[in-house]
Amino acid sequence: MTVSNLIENLLGSDVELPVRIEAYDGSAIGPMDAETKLLINSPDAIHRLVTSMGKEIGFSRSIIAGEIDIKGDIYGLFRINRSLKGVKLNFETLKIASRLLDISGLKDLKKLKPLDPPPEEITPKGRIHSKQRDKEVVSGHYDASNEFYERVLDNTWTYSCGIFRTEQDSLQEAQDNKHDLICRKIALKSGHRHLDIGCGWGSMAIHAAKHYGVNTLGVTLSEQQALMARQRVEDAGLSDKIEIRIQDYREIDDEPF
């Protein structure tokens, strides 16, 4: 009995999967031409799903650990929920689930313990919001590489929500709307000295200096962010108005702003 056989038995023969699932034992289920493929690379993925408090965290940890991969259209995964609505929890499904655990090497549910979280999820040590811990947390997240963030961010390199004034607004326009709203709320004027704490890749600083004529100090704890922000400031011709520092905001001593 293969993983795909058991999944098929669990779902029922009348369920049409919107994705293709390929398991570590070489078995597969779902349409060959599916836009989304779910690759179960290890029995540890099943272990995590069974022992996690909620299936979402087990699934997420399996992706981080490389035990599950997603190929193609990631949104196809959301359609799986519709396929699972018809699955009833009864003696037969429990028997199939037990068999799935068995072929995955998970023999005794009573002794089954959760796997340790992937190394990427380990909680930093030290006092919360101490300078050292904050630097480690920020660096661990934002120094993943600028190449990575270039794939997931818009042209403004903004890592937070935007303001869509109309349905026709692009993501870049929504981010510009947000930056402008912030500038107006704090009443920026030409000649002001503006402090941007957690300046990211420099988008807010660039907008404020370009459109409101202020002098901006942007601080970040991420070396990769600072590198990109400085380049973007130079490219925008605003090096005389914007300074980017790698610095904890609690160490700034050249007020006022």
Side-chain angles (χ1 to χ4, degrees):
M1 185 70 77
T2 65
V3 172
S4 63
N5 289 149
L6 288 164
I7 292 174
E8 186 175 20
N9 291 341
L10 189 62
L11 296 177
S13 58
D14 57 333
V15 173
E16 294 185 11
L17 273 176
V19 303
R20 182 166 178 81
I21 300 175
E22 299 179 357
Y24 55 87
D25 62 356
S27 63
I29 184 175
M32 286 285 293
D33 59 350
E35 294 182 1
T36 306
K37 287 187 178 180
L38 182 67
L39 309 180
I40 304 175
N41 301 321
S42 165
D44 285 346
I46 298 171
H47 191 150
R48 289 191 194 277
L49 289 168
V50 171
T51 57
S52 63
M53 290 189 295
K55 60 182 179 297
E56 291 85 0
I57 192 168
F59 187 77
S60 300
R61 284 175 172 169
S62 290
I63 292 176
I64 292 172
E67 298 153 4
I68 288 178
D69 282 327
I70 303 165
K71 302 292 185 183
D73 179 15
I74 192 171
Y75 293 101
L77 288 178
F78 302 142
R79 295 190 284 273
I80 291 182
N81 282 334
R82 300 174 197 161
S83 301
L84 297 179
K85 284 183 179 178
V87 178
K88 304 295 183 184
L89 185 63
N90 53 37
F91 179 73
E92 193 59 34
T93 55
L94 287 174
K95 204 161 62 168
I96 295 169
S98 176
R99 178 65 180 140
L100 184 60
L101 294 176
D102 187 53
I103 68 170
S104 302
L106 311 177
K107 302 289 185 181
D108 190 348
L109 277 175
K110 292 181 180 178
K111 297 180 181 179
L112 198 59
K113 295 181 180 179
L115 295 174
D116 291 334
E120 295 86 346
E121 198 182 327
I122 293 176
T123 303
K125 296 180 180 179
R127 182 171 56 85
I128 292 178
H129 291 309
S130 64
K131 292 179 182 179
Q132 181 59 37
R133 176 166 165 153
D134 277 0
K135 183 171 179 58
E136 290 177 7
V137 170
V138 170
S139 178
H141 187 85
Y142 292 105
D143 285 339
S145 81
N146 289 326
E147 289 77 14
F148 167 75
Y149 284 103
E150 186 175 20
R151 290 175 175 267
V152 298
L153 300 178
D154 68 293
N155 292 336
T156 68
W157 285 77
T158 306
Y159 195 51
S160 57
C161 58
I163 297 176
F164 291 84
R165 299 197 185 280
T166 72
E167 293 183 1
Q168 286 72 42
D169 282 357
S170 66
L171 180 56
Q172 180 170 345
E173 288 170 329
Q175 298 294 7
D176 288 339
N177 292 340
K178 177 188 63 186
H179 292 142
D180 205 64
L181 177 63
I182 294 170
C183 291
R184 287 185 282 111
K185 275 182 173 287
I186 60 177
L188 286 184
K189 294 179 181 178
S190 179
H192 280 179
R193 190 161 182 243
H194 166 232
L195 173 63
D196 187 3
I197 297 173
C199 66
W201 296 272
S203 298
M204 181 69 211
I206 290 171
H207 186 94
K210 183 177 180 180
H211 297 285
Y212 288 82
V214 300
N215 297 301
T216 295
L217 169 62
V219 295
T220 176
L221 295 174
S222 165
E223 294 184 7
Q224 286 289 304
Q225 282 188 335
L227 184 68
M228 174 62 71
R230 288 166 181 160
Q231 184 60 57
R232 295 183 68 225
V233 167
E234 182 178 341
D235 292 345
L238 294 169
S239 298
D240 60 330
K241 286 189 166 294
I242 300 173
E243 178 189 0
I244 303 294
R245 295 180 192 167
I246 301 174
Q247 185 177 29
D248 191 295
Y249 73 93
R250 291 163 287 192
E251 295 176 346
I252 297 172
D253 60 3
D254 50 339
E255 297 90 347
F257 296 96

